[in-house]
DNA sequence: AACACGGGGAA
DNA sequence: TTCCCAGTGTT
């Protein structure tokens, strides 16, 4: 850090703003300071690439255009609009937070950082982003982009997997913070996404390369430093696809494990259904922290009597392919249903 | 402080 | 394969 004079720090933020003015990405939530829309987009794009979440964001805003609409909707429909996005507690929390805003703030989105922070699913990053973008709050919205950009500018080897990284890089951000923090925060996202990328950063196009210590040392690839390794565990699941005449059985998951509140097939069946097992298919599904192996037993119940008896004795929901589109399933189960649909149409 | 939580895209 | 993305909640 000794190679950069203190007087240079302030101009870095302003140079970034100048670059952003010309190179900002054209995104649907860039033309607004509506706190509802900014809040939703911040939640949608947590740990999610823009291209991956863009359709979800647009569909979500179209169906739930304001806090009141969202608060008065059913949780299952909110989850339906979240289908395929992952991290489903975000959808559950976003729904609860909308009701919080209706109940605790009379439907008016809170302006203060400390109040925004009280909303379910809103942490320090999101509170800072909404506060700065919508209400001129002077708080850096420190995310993965901040870690990467700042660690390179200052050639700082502070471990970003350390719990104190957020505090550490917040203080670093304050060194270069310009007046317009809202634009600054968004500019850091665009720079981190388009220029200062994790792999193969475009340093020759970077507006800050003259201020970047890592670049001047030719050590950009050494930053950020991250020591913590995420281990993927194996998880074996077993499901029974119990069906008859195009109908099949499902139930809703709890909110205490993966796929919170999503729908799934029965994880077990009683003795009388075992003779109807026709085949079994193993589906491998890779998640960030888990390697799933899902055994799905195809149980075609030829007997109407057994079918009705089993339904009467259990709490399972009877559905079909068409109706199941109104429910949110984990990705591998959704794929299975689609394959079943294709096969069933051929029959 | 450490861990759990989805899914997809890039290298 | 491995990494990582506009992070937060729980223990």
């Amino acid at each position: 850090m000794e190679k950069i004079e203190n007087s240079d720090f302030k101009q870095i933020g302003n140079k970034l703003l100048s670059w952003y003015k010309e190179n900002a990405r054209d995104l649907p939530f860039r033309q607004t300071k509506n706190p509802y829309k900014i809040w939703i987009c911040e939640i949608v794009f947590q740990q999610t690439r823009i291209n991956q979440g863009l359709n979800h964001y647009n569909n979500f805003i179209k169906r739930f255009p304001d806090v009141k609409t969202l608060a008065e909707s059913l949780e299952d429909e909110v989850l339906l609009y979240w289908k395929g996005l992952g991290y489903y507690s975000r959808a559950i929390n976003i729904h609860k937070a909308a009701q919080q805003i209706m109940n605790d703030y009379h439907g008016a989105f809170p302006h203060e950082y400390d109040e925004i922070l009280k909303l379910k699913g809103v942490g320090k990053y999101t509170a800072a982003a909404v506060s700065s973008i919508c209400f001129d709050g002077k708080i850096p919205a420190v995310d993965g982009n901040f870690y990467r950009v700042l660690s390179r500018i200052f050639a700082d080897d502070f471990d970003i997997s350390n719990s104190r990284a957020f505090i550490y890089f917040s203080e670093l951000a304050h060194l270069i913070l310009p007046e317009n923090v809202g634009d600054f925060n968004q500019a850091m996202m665009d720079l981190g996404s388009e220029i200062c990328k994790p792999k193969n950063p475009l340093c020759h196009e970077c507006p800050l390369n003259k201020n970047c210590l890592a670049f001047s040392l030719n050590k950009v690839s050494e930053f950020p430093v991250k020591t913590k390794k995420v281990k993927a565990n194996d998880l074996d699941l077993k499901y029974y696809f119990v069906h008859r005449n195009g109908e099949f059985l499902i139930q809703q998951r709890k909110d205490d494990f993966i796929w919170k509140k999503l729908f799934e097939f029965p994880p077990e069946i009683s003795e009388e259904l075992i003779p109807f097992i026709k085949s079994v298919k193993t589906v491998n599904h890779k998640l960030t922290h888990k390697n799933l192996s899902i055994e799905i037993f195809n149980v075609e119940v030829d007997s109407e009597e057994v079918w009705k008896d089993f339904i009467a004795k259990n709490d399972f929901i009877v559905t079909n392919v068409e109706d199941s589109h109104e429910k949110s399933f984990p990705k591998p189960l959704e794929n299975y249903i689609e394959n079943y649909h294709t096969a069933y149409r051929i029959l």
Side-chain angles (χ1 to χ4, degrees):
Chain A
M1 202 187 294
E2 59 280 355
K3 279 198 168 185
I4 299 181
E5 299 294 327
N6 274 332
S7 58
D8 288 328
F9 289 165
K10 294 166 196 140
Q11 67 171 282
I12 297 178
N14 286 314
K15 284 172 75 172
L16 182 59
L17 284 182
S18 301
W19 173 85
Y20 179 68
K21 197 173 178 183
E22 301 298 322
N23 299 279
R25 288 177 291 181
D26 182 24
L27 301 171
F29 41 87
R30 278 284 164 75
Q31 304 101 296
T32 183
K33 290 193 173 186
N34 178 335
Y36 174 74
K37 291 183 178 177
I38 297 300
W39 166 50
I40 298 299
C41 98
E42 295 303 340
I43 303 298
V44 165
F45 293 108
Q46 280 171 16
Q47 300 294 286
T48 304
R49 314 247 174 192
I50 294 297
N51 285 339
Q52 186 185 351
L54 215 42
N55 286 334
H56 282 89
Y57 170 79
N58 287 326
N59 294 335
F60 194 97
I61 291 295
K62 190 174 180 183
R63 171 60 186 88
F64 312 106
D66 50 50
V67 174
K68 188 169 187 289
T69 305
L70 178 57
E72 292 173 350
S73 299
L74 294 176
E75 185 184 67
D76 279 356
E77 191 179 6
V78 179
L79 281 167
L80 179 60
Y81 277 76
W82 213 265
K83 180 170 66 173
L85 256 190
Y87 285 165
Y88 297 96
S89 60
R90 290 184 294 174
I92 297 168
N93 285 332
I94 223 171
H95 185 232
K96 288 178 180 170
Q99 296 173 340
Q100 252 180 295
I101 295 170
M102 294 306 295
N103 296 331
D104 301 347
Y105 304 96
H106 306 290
F109 207 99
H111 288 40
E112 297 302 319
Y113 171 86
D114 289 336
E115 298 299 317
I116 301 171
L117 194 56
K118 290 179 182 173
L119 299 173
K120 293 288 184 189
V122 172
K124 297 192 294 290
Y125 161 78
T126 301
V130 175
S131 166
S132 65
I133 295 171
C134 305
F135 306 115
D136 200 32
K138 306 298 185 187
I139 310 157
V142 177
D143 69 338
N145 293 300
F146 272 66
Y147 290 167
R148 190 167 57 256
V149 173
L150 291 173
S151 68
R152 286 171 176 171
I153 287 178
F154 294 106
D156 194 314
D157 63 357
F158 194 97
D159 185 358
I160 67 168
S161 49
N162 186 310
S163 301
R164 297 201 308 281
F166 186 90
I167 299 294
Y168 185 86
F169 284 100
S170 292
E171 293 174 357
L172 223 45
H174 274 290
L175 293 177
I176 65 173
L177 210 59
E179 185 59 24
N180 189 337
V181 180
D183 280 353
F184 172 79
N185 284 333
Q186 299 187 81
M188 287 286 275
M189 320 250 188
D190 281 12
L191 188 80
S193 169
E194 307 291 301
I195 305 290
C196 198
K197 300 183 293 182
K199 301 285 174 59
N200 304 326
L202 309 177
C203 297
H204 53 290
E205 298 177 25
C206 181
L208 306 181
N209 56 15
K210 301 287 192 302
N211 308 86
C212 183
L213 187 54
F215 180 65
S216 73
L217 297 173
N218 196 25
K219 290 183 175 178
V220 173
S221 61
E222 296 179 21
F223 301 96
V225 171
K226 184 179 184 180
T227 61
K228 180 182 167 189
K229 295 144 184 75
V230 277
K231 55 184 182 298
N233 299 319
D234 293 335
L235 178 62
D236 299 327
L237 297 176
K238 187 178 290 188
Y239 285 125
Y240 294 88
F241 187 73
V242 184
H243 64 108
R244 172 179 171 77
N245 292 342
E247 293 184 319
F248 57 93
L249 271 31
I250 59 174
Q251 67 176 14
Q252 189 166 26
R253 292 182 62 81
K254 308 296 182 191
D255 65 354
D256 59 350
F257 190 37
I258 60 172
W259 298 329
K260 300 185 196 340
K261 299 288 187 79
L262 266 55
F263 289 84
E264 64 183 354
F265 308 142
E268 54 189 35
I269 56 174
S270 45
E271 288 288 327
E272 64 264 32
L273 256 48
I274 291 182
F276 298 99
I277 296 176
K278 297 293 191 286
S279 59
V280 57
K281 180 178 182 181
T282 301
V283 178
N284 292 311
H285 191 74
K286 192 175 179 303
L287 302 181
T288 302
H289 303 288
K290 284 181 170 49
N291 293 314
L292 298 182
S293 178
I294 310 173
E295 254 188 333
I296 304 179
F297 289 83
N298 175 20
V299 185
E300 184 171 9
V301 184
D302 302 311
S303 160
E304 181 174 3
E305 186 184 346
V306 173
W307 172 256
K308 291 195 170 179
D309 186 58
F310 185 73
I311 293 172
K313 287 181 180 171
N314 295 279
D315 299 326
F316 298 119
I317 300 165
V318 182
T319 186
N320 56 49
V321 173
E322 188 179 341
D323 290 346
S324 71
H325 289 318
E326 302 304 311
K327 299 187 183 304
S328 188
F329 287 88
K331 206 63 185 178
L333 300 192
E334 183 176 76
N335 293 341
Y336 186 92
I337 293 171
E338 289 309 310
N339 289 338
Y340 168 74
H341 182 44
T342 305
Y344 192 79
R345 278 188 314 194
I346 295 172
L347 296 180

